[in-house]
C-alpha cells in the first residue's frame, strides 16, 4: 500500500476504524473482528483507530488482543476526552489535565502497550482551555507515553491555538463525498501548518457503498437508525448521491465504496481515511481502493455529487462539534 504523511508520521494511506467492532453498528463477532484487524495488517494497513469511549473500553481491549505479537506493524491511534473519570462518566466531555492522566493510563493498559503513536482529543472541551489540554499532552510526549498529538472535530481557532503550544500531527474529522465541511476553512489551515488529515466515515457510514437501500437494512442496535441522514425523506433523497457514485464506479470497474475512498485519496497525500468495518470481506474491498485510479473528469464529477440531506450527526452530537 502507498503511504500518506500526517505531519511527520508516515502511515498506510488507508487505515482501519475499529469502532464498529464494539456494537455501534449492531452485533459483531469478536473473532471475525480480530481476523479483520490481522488481515488489515497483512494488506499493509498500519493506522488502527480506536477510542476509550467505544464500548466503552471494550474496543481498546479488543484491539489490544488483536495486535499482540504484531505491535511493530501498527501505528496505534486512540482518543480521550468523552469520558470524565472524575465521576461524570461516559458522554461527559473532560479534557482537563487530571482526566488526561487517568485516561492515558487506562488506554495503555487496555491496549497492552507502553506507548501510543497518535493520541487524539476526541472532542474539544469548552470547560478546559485548549492550551491546558495540549500542554499536558506535550508532557506525555516528553515522557514517551504518546508520540504524536491529534485533535478530532476541532475548528480553525482551536487548531491554531493547540498547534502554538505543541505541533499537532493530525486532525480527525468527518469528511467524504457528502460531508464537505472541512474544505473551505479547515483544510487550508492544516496545510499551512503541516498537519495531516484523517477523515472518518469516508463511506458516509456505509451509505456510499450502495449496500443500504432501505432502512430495513439497518439491524437492531444500529445507531444509524437515529442519524438524520438515515431518517424519513432524507434517506430517500440521499439515495440520489449513491446512484451518481454507482455510475462512475461502473466506468472505473470498481465498487461505489472504492470510488468514494479513491476520491478522498485524490485530495492529497496528507490524508489517510479510516473506513470502519468488522468484516474481512469489506476490509479487503476498502483496501483495494488503493489501486483505483480516477481521471480528472471523474474526480470533478464526484466532487459535484448531490449534497447529503440532513445533518451528519444527531442534534446532541452536533453540539459537541467545535464550530
Amino acid at each position: 500500500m502507498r503511504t500518506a504523511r500526517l505531519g511527520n508520521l508516515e502511515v498506510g494511506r488507508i487505515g482501519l476504524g475499529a469502532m464498529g467492532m464494539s456494537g455501534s453498528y449492531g452485533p459483531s463477532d469478536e473473532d471475525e473482528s480480530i481476523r479483520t484487524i490481522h488481515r488489515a495488517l497483512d494488506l499493509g494497513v498500519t493506522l488502527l483507530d480506536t477510542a476509550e469511549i467505544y464500548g466503552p473500553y471494550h474496543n481498546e481491549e479488543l484491539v489490544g488482543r488483536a495486535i499482540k505479537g504484531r505491535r511493530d506493524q501498527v501505528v496505534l491511534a486512540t482518543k480521550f476526552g468523552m469520558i470524565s473519570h472524575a465521576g461524570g462518566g461516559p458522554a461527559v466531555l473532560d479534557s482537563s489535565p487530571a482526566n488526561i492522566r487517568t485516561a492515558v493510563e487506562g488506554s495503555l493498559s487496555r491496549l497492552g502497550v507502553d506507548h501510543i503513536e497518535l493520541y487524539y482529543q476526541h472532542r474539544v472541551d469548552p470547560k478546559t482551555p485548549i492550551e491546558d489540554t495540549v500542554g499536558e499532552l506535550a508532557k506525555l510526549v516528553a515522557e514517551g507515553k504518546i508520540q504524536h498529538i491529534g485533535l478530532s472535530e476541532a475548528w480553525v481557532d482551536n487548531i491554531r491555538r493547540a498547534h502554538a503550544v505543541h505541533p499537532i500531527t493530525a486532525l480527525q474529522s468527518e469528511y467524504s463525498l457528502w460531508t464537505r465541511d472541512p474544505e473551505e476553512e479547515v483544510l487550508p489551515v492544516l496545510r499551512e501548518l503541516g498537519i495531516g488529515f484523517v477523515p472518518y466515515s469516508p463511506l458516509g457510514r456505509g451509505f456510499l457503498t450502495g449496500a443500504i437501500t432501505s432502512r430495513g437494512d439497518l439491524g437492531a442496535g444500529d445507531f444509524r437508525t437515529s442519524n438524520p441522514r438515515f431518517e424519513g425523506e432524507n434517506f430517500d433523497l440521499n439515495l440520489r448521491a449513491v446512484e451518481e457514485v454507482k455510475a462512475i464506479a461502473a466506468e472505473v470497474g470498481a465498487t461505489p465504496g472504492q470510488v468514494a475512498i479513491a476520491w478522498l485519496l485524490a485530495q492529497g497525500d496528507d490524508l489517510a481515511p479510516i473506513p470502519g468495518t468488522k468484516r474481512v470481506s469489506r476490509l479487503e474491498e476498502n483496501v483495494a481502493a488503493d489501486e483505483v485510479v480516477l481521471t480528472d473528469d471523474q474526480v470533478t464529477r464526484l466532487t459535484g455529487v448531490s449534497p447529503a440531506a440532513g445533518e451528519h450527526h444527531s442534534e446532541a452530537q452536533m453540539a459537541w462539534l467545535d464550530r
Side-chain angles (χ1 to χ4, degrees), residues 11-27:
V11 298
R13 68 176 187 156
I14 300 174
L16 173 61
M19 183 182 77
M21 298 176 181
S22 294
S24 299
Y25 292 89

Side-chain angles (χ1 to χ4, degrees), residues 26-316:
S28 59
D29 180 321
E30 190 161 297
D31 290 338
E32 176 69 3
S33 294
I34 290 176
R35 284 193 293 270
T36 300
I37 292 172
H38 289 169
R39 183 61 175 148
L41 299 179
D42 293 340
L43 293 173
V45 171
T46 60
L47 182 60
L48 297 185
D49 185 88
T50 182
E52 64 172 2
I53 191 66
Y54 301 159
Y57 308 127
H58 169 266
N59 201 246
E60 287 185 325
E61 294 168 349
L62 173 68
V63 170
R65 288 194 294 275
I67 66 173
K68 190 174 182 180
R70 304 187 69 169
R71 180 68 178 95
D72 60 347
Q73 296 178 258
V74 178
V75 175
L76 192 57
T78 191
K79 312 177 200 72
F80 70 91
M82 289 184 72
I83 298 177
S84 175
H85 297 282
V92 175
L93 299 184
D94 188 347
S95 288
S96 64
N99 201 63
I100 292 170
R101 284 284 165 178
T102 302
V104 74
E105 294 300 337
S107 290
L108 289 168
S109 175
R110 287 185 292 272
L111 291 163
V113 299
D114 61 6
H115 70 277
I116 295 161
E117 278 80 11
L118 180 55
Y119 198 45
Y120 291 102
Q121 181 191 38
H122 207 155
R123 293 290 185 270
V124 172
D125 174 12
K127 305 184 302 298
T128 306
I130 196 78
E131 292 83 359
D132 293 353
T133 296
V134 177
E136 192 65 27
L137 293 171
K139 294 177 184 177
L140 295 180
V141 172
E143 295 166 18
K145 293 185 177 183
I146 67 174
Q147 294 182 340
H148 299 270
I149 298 172
L151 304 174
S152 181
E153 291 290 8
W155 209 249
V156 171
D157 179 59
N158 276 313
I159 293 169
R160 289 191 180 279
R161 288 167 56 194
H163 194 71
V165 175
H166 186 281
I168 301 300
T169 293
L171 174 76
Q172 182 179 141
S173 291
E174 185 169 354
Y175 184 41
S176 69
L177 281 171
W178 67 350
T179 302
R180 310 289 281 281
D181 309 37
E183 289 182 335
E184 186 173 343
E185 297 182 59
V186 171
L187 274 171
V189 169
L190 298 182
R191 285 167 172 159
E192 172 195 336
L193 300 177
I195 300 171
F197 189 41
V198 178
Y200 73 82
S201 294
L203 298 174
R205 294 184 172 80
F207 217 134
L208 293 170
T209 66
I212 300 170
T213 59
S214 74
R215 281 178 54 83
D217 292 330
L218 305 178
D222 192 318
F223 84 100
R224 291 173 292 184
T225 57
S226 61
N227 182 281
R229 292 183 177 175
F230 290 79
E231 291 180 329
E233 184 182 21
N234 288 346
F235 186 97
D236 297 327
L237 292 172
N238 287 330
L239 289 175
R240 298 177 308 178
V242 178
E243 291 305 313
E244 294 166 21
V245 177
K246 283 181 177 179
I248 293 177
E251 296 175 13
V252 176
T255 67
Q258 289 168 341
V259 165
I261 295 171
W263 176 84
L264 273 174
L265 297 176
Q267 305 308 306
D269 59 6
D270 55 352
L271 285 84
I274 49 168
T277 186
K278 53 189 177 182
R279 299 182 180 88
V280 170
S281 59
R282 187 65 74 184
L283 178 278
E284 291 174 339
E285 177 185 337
N286 293 342
V287 170
D290 184 47
E291 302 299 325
V292 174
V293 178
L294 301 172
T295 66
D296 290 344
D297 175 67
Q298 288 166 338
V299 170
T300 299
R301 288 159 56 201
L302 286 164
T303 301
V305 160
S306 298
E311 291 286 7
H312 49 108
H313 292 292
S314 68
E315 185 176 352

